[in-house]
Amino acid sequence: MAFASGKDTQEVVLQPGERLYLGMDFGTSGARYALIDKQGTIHSEGKREYPFYMSGETIDWVQSWKTTIFSLLEDVPVHFRPLVASISIDGTSATTIIVDSNTGEPLWRPFLYNESCPDALPMVKSIAPVNHTVCSGSSTLCKLVSWWNTEDSKKESALLLHQADWLLWLLHGKLGVSDYNNALKVGYDPEVDSYPPWLLAQPYSHLLPSVTAPGTSIGCLKENIRTQFGFSEDCVVCTGTTDSIAAFLAARATQPGKAVTSLGSTLAIKLLSTRRIEDARFGVYSHRLDDKWLVGGASNTGGAVLRELFTDEQLDKLSEQINPMEASPLDYYPLTAAGERFPVADPNLAPRLHPRPESDVEYLHGILESIARIEAKAYSLLKDMGATEVEEVFTAGGGAKNDKWIKIRERVLGLPVSRAMQTEAAYGAALLALKGAQQSLN
């Protein structure tokens, strides 16, 4: 069963003629929507868990996502629908769908964001530059090459789309359009705004979608959807982005030197930079954001380690007793298993969580401080690689709720650290919809 919760969040009176902007986020386990005005105020939001449809013994994700997008449209309050000027969607990065270029129907089950295709990696490495973003088994290009080498028929009429592209196609009906954030892991070069010659020379290059900037108006909402749900005639559909970029956009960190650290099960950082940084050895790559670059990396440390050691209630009670202005003498490298990606690239790096003091307060303090040191090392590495130096950090994820941890991180980083006002990717997608509507007016 799908779980729905669509609600009006603020009783804000809209001025006559004022429009609203709809963003939808398709994450790993469910989808959300956010409806905002041009000031960024949320007027309605809701979420749906994906319903499970089976195709044989596997989950039919395409049907699940398709059902969910129309459920979310249904969840938007009826009185707001005629006011929606534009729609955008984010999806999980490197979730790949090969479709028929005439009908849009999938030719193969989707390759999910976390799936690896090691069979294709040697071929990809033989054509791509050294340490390129596509040189990872889970890249979109590895998934495309794996499909190409497996499938004998339907190659001529095939088309590659990312999850967000396909969902947006359901709304606008124009096949073969993507954005340069989703297309990065298939090999698109956002700096020169084209696919590189080494990729275009491949026999499967005709599968690649055309690429525009995120938040670009593609066309109006299909008439049958517009009339079914009661949206306006001039409602446009805009290109989307990936879920992690939408979450960054939600934090409204718009100046170089501003960064977002996401303290979820892992520690992920994204820094807005004037320079592009790429190095697959450290899992560091840059997404384009208009005329700037969003430099990112992800460590395997984070909240998953804390959950193995403490309950939520223990974390709350123990954190209250920590003095965040005192440095912990304990030096750990908190991991749930061996292996680290960033800022240290060592697949064999062992977790270090000993010696454990008698006091649980001291132990938690040491772990929180050690994660903060890893975060500081990560930002320092990005600076050494040539990125803009970090000036301020916004925090998203479950760890953002821990005020003592924020104070520890401020001391360790030597920077202002605060909780991001908005962290939902759906809000970031709504900001893209607003951007697309404003551009289509100009």
Side-chain angles (χ1 to χ4, degrees), residues 410-422:
E410 273 199 322
R411 172 173 51 77
V412 173
L413 292 171
L415 295 166
V417 178
S418 60
R419 191 180 292 114
M421 292 296 289
Q422 292 287 344

Side-chain angles (χ1 to χ4, degrees), residues 104-179:
E105 288 302 309
L107 297 174
W108 198 262
R109 64 163 188 81
F111 292 91
L112 299 183
Y113 69 100
N114 57 353
E115 275 187 65
S116 186
C117 295
D119 57 297
L121 195 52
M123 185 177 290
V124 168
K125 283 185 172 181
S126 74
I127 59 170
V130 177
N131 298 327
H132 193 282
T133 305
V134 298
C135 297
S136 160
S138 59
S139 74
T140 313
L141 185 57
C142 277
K143 290 162 182 169
L144 169 58
V145 170
S146 181
W147 176 84
W148 183 262
N149 291 339
T150 304
E151 179 63 31
D152 291 324
S153 60
K154 301 177 183 173
K155 286 182 176 178
E156 287 310 309
S157 63
L159 176 68
L160 179 144
L161 293 176
H162 308 89
Q163 181 187 30
D165 307 337
W166 188 80
L167 289 163
L168 287 162
W169 165 73
L170 293 175
L171 302 184
H172 60 65
K174 297 180 180 178
L175 264 178
V177 184
S178 188
D179 65 89

Side-chain angles (χ1 to χ4, degrees), residues 328-379:
S328 170
L330 298 167
D331 181 25
Y332 301 137
Y333 207 105
L335 297 168
T336 57
E340 177 60 307
R341 301 172 287 172
F342 170 79
V344 177
D346 182 354
N348 302 310
L349 184 70
R352 194 168 69 247
L353 286 159
H354 295 283
R356 178 168 183 162
E358 288 183 19
S359 163
D360 283 344
V361 175
E362 287 180 28
Y363 191 44
L364 177 60
H365 187 174
I367 294 171
L368 295 181
E369 183 125 351
S370 296
I371 294 174
R373 290 190 203 116
I374 294 168
E375 181 185 2
K377 187 173 181 180
Y379 282 117

Side-chain angles (χ1 to χ4, degrees), residues 390-406:
V390 60
E391 295 175 357
E392 183 179 10
V393 176
F394 299 98
T395 309
K401 298 169 187 158
N402 191 320
D403 292 328
K404 294 293 179 80
W405 199 4
I406 284 181

